Amino acid sequence: MRTELAARCIEITEERGRGNTIELRLEFPCTQANVRRALASIMSGLGAMDLSEDDSSTVELVLAEVLNNVTEHAYRDAGLGLIRLHLKQTDDGLSCRVIDNGDAMPRNTPPRGYPPNPNGPLETYPEGGFGWFLIRKLTSDLAYLRDADRNILSFRIQIGQTVQTN
Amino acid sequence: MQLDTAHYDGLMVVSVLEDRMDAAIALDFKDAMRDLTSDAPARVVLDMATVRFLDSSGLGAVIGAMKQLGHQRRLELAGLNPSVEKVFRLTRMDSIFTIHANIDAALGGVATIDAAPRGQAHAY
């Protein structure tokens, strides 16, 4: 099934794989507004996976963080450039691949995502740096490849497991 | 973005009337909070019951709003939906806020200035 969404700039393809698993492919120009639209399309497209509310919010959060990073950093908020996203249901989660043609990650390595520090005085409370911490906390098998002028980030979001706080 | 304010004795409630607090509205939120809380009383309670999605940018904006209040006033949170609460918990930022189950719990024992608190809508 191929659906042209109201946004028109987002193309989403839904496929049913072996065992009736869900597979989604999206391609869209990266703007913050499109990231919002893409997330709405994805969450609706994953509806048949019957995710719990907890899993559903984890998937939406991880994808939001990854897509926002591409928009803000790889494409420097210029609103130009495409994001391609491939999501595939697996036995224990959702396998994800995100491809863009923006800037490479610094030192060709995804940030470590150190745990935020809630201690210390008010002035030192962190206002950023949460994104990669959350991505790493909520995903497994994260891999990044700079291939010519492309960034290829792949990871798995585990589903049906409770994430423990540090 | 839509924010709503109501004033009580020693307490101000700011309700976020948005479904999502994400990268698209984080800066607007922080600016709006700076305007709305410039002469706020000692306690500012952010009612987030309407918000069903918060990402790291939204989280950063809420923390920024607290830092803007300085040491004399404090920002408290109320009505966190499970998906929002999860972001605070995973990042351990739940430990820097007083978090109320809902706005009624936050208001417990606080006298209203008027029979009905002055409510005001703000669009940013």
Side-chain angles (χ1 to χ4, degrees):
Chain A
M1 181 175 63
R2 196 173 179 84
T3 318
E4 296 294 326
L5 296 178
R8 266 183 294 183
C9 43
I10 301 179
E11 273 192 22
I12 181 165
T13 314
E14 290 181 36
E15 297 165 15
R16 284 302 172 101
R18 215 157 28 90
N20 222 21
T21 52
I22 302 221
E23 208 168 330
L24 296 180
R25 291 174 197 272
L26 285 87
E27 184 168 324
F28 57 95
C30 68
T31 62
Q32 285 178 340
N34 277 347
V35 168
R36 269 191 175 191
R37 292 190 191 106
L39 288 170
S41 307
I42 292 164
M43 297 322 290
S44 142
L46 295 180
M49 277 179 75
D50 246 345
L51 297 172
S52 69
E53 199 178 314
D54 190 47
D55 284 335
S56 172
S57 67
T58 296
V59 168
E60 187 169 9
L61 179 61
V62 169
L63 295 178
E65 298 300 340
V66 169
L67 298 178
N68 282 335
N69 281 342
V70 174
T71 304
E72 288 169 28
H73 301 299
Y75 285 129
R76 306 184 198 184
D77 264 335
L80 299 169
L82 285 176
I83 299 182
R84 270 176 292 164
L85 188 63
H86 180 199
L87 307 176
K88 191 175 177 184
Q89 182 180 11
T90 63
D91 286 344
D92 57 351
L94 191 65
S95 165
C96 312
R97 192 168 68 230
V98 183
I99 301 178
D100 67 76
N101 296 94
D103 294 347
M105 295 213 191
R107 293 173 299 283
N108 277 341
T109 311
R112 287 286 301 276
Y114 291 106
N117 181 6
N119 304 311
L122 179 76
E123 293 77 12
T124 66
Y125 290 158
E127 290 181 55
F130 304 114
W132 272 102
F133 170 75
L134 289 168
I135 294 167
R136 291 200 178 265
K137 182 94 188 164
L138 298 169
T139 65
S140 56
D141 304 334
L142 186 109
Y144 169 72
L145 177 70
R146 178 71 180 178
D147 172 38
D149 61 348
R150 296 191 307 170
N151 295 310
I152 306 173
L153 184 72
S154 59
F155 50 90
R156 203 155 47 86
I157 305 173
Q158 289 188 9
I159 281 165
Q161 301 195 0
T162 308
V163 177
Q164 300 295 325
T165 308
N166 278 346
Chain B
M1 70 174 305
Q2 293 289 326
L3 297 173
D4 191 85
T5 57
H7 297 266
Y8 298 80
D9 188 14
L11 185 156
M12 174 185 184
V13 175
V14 180
S15 303
V16 184
L17 304 180
E18 296 285 335
D19 187 44
R20 307 174 71 81
M21 287 185 73
D22 58 11
I25 65 165
L27 284 179
D28 284 349
F29 171 76
K30 216 179 135 182
D31 287 348
M33 287 296 284
R34 184 183 288 119
D35 290 349
L36 293 175
T37 61
S38 57
D39 55 356
R43 293 177 64 198
V44 178
V45 180
L46 190 66
D47 183 0
M48 299 179 69
T50 305
V51 181
R52 53 155 289 277
F53 178 79
L54 174 99
D55 67 9
S56 65
S57 306
L59 173 66
V62 173
I63 295 168
M66 173 162 77
K67 290 166 79 169
Q68 282 172 178
L69 286 175
H71 288 278
Q72 306 308 317
R73 296 170 294 178
R74 65 172 203 242
L75 185 68
E76 302 172 21
L77 309 178
L80 305 188
N81 280 304
S83 62
V84 173
E85 187 272 339
K86 180 163 66 179
V87 178
F88 279 92
R89 177 168 42 84
L90 289 173
T91 57
R92 295 166 67 209
M93 290 299 128
D94 53 347
S95 67
I96 67 175
F97 292 97
T98 299
I99 299 177
H100 306 278
N102 51 52
I103 199 65
D104 288 339
L107 289 175
V110 172
T112 55
I113 291 177
D114 311 310
R118 288 172 291 129
Q120 210 179 339
H122 310 268
Y124 283 83

